[in-house]
Amino acid sequence: MTDLFFWGFADSWADNGGQSPDPVTAADTSWTWDVEYSPDLSQMTYARTSINSFAGIGGDSNWVFSGIVSYRTRGADGTDTNHPIGQNASNGVADYVADWGVDDVTFGWGIEGDGVCYANVNMEIWLSS
């Protein structure tokens, strides 16, 4: 069984051109949200994002993306390991993370529009119980 541990959202918009970096990086805190918490090594973490709403007004091209930029695990000996999984994708984000001993998740999103566009991105972390 899994329980919702964290839920957040980000509203973003673009007007007549790109407004976000592509790819998103953990260093750009304007387009990321970092969630750090105490790990339970016996818990599986599942984290993902979803697009709640998207509206494009005018222009030939409007788009939005979201996902996981990176996450960190803590081993039984207390050592941390960073996993920059978003670096494997052209836009800097992976679809989801599912791993044991996670103590930090960095979400990221981006938007671009030739006209005016708006998006709402949901971010979720689920923990096994």
Side-chain angles (χ1 to χ4, degrees), residues 25-103:
T25 65
D28 189 343
T29 58
S30 298
W31 299 96
T32 60
W33 189 338
D34 188 63
V35 179
E36 186 173 352
Y37 52 97
S38 297
D40 180 341
L41 299 181
S42 66
Q43 283 186 319
M44 164 72 89
T45 294
Y46 175 74
R48 68 177 185 164
T49 66
S50 60
I51 307 298
N52 183 48
S53 62
F54 180 71
I57 304 168
D60 293 328
S61 175
N62 300 300
W63 52 261
V64 65
F65 64 87
S66 65
I68 308 300
V69 175
S70 63
Y71 71 98
R72 184 179 64 209
T73 54
R74 177 158 300 152
D77 62 356
T79 59
D80 289 332
T81 304
N82 291 314
H83 305 272
I85 60 172
Q87 290 181 0
N88 296 328
S90 61
N91 57 9
V93 296
D95 293 338
Y96 67 93
V97 61
D99 205 346
W100 299 90
V102 175
D103 69 347

Side-chain angles (χ1 to χ4, degrees), residues 4 6-11 31-35 47-51 66-68 105-109 120-126:
L4 182 62
F6 169 82
W7 177 83
F9 69 93
D11 293 322
W31 299 96
T32 60
W33 189 338
D34 188 63
V35 179
R48 68 177 185 164
T49 66
S50 60
I51 307 298
S66 65
I68 308 300
V105 176
T106 302
F107 298 96
W109 60 92
N120 175 267
V121 175
N122 292 328
M123 296 164 270
E124 303 171 6
I125 297 175
W126 296 80

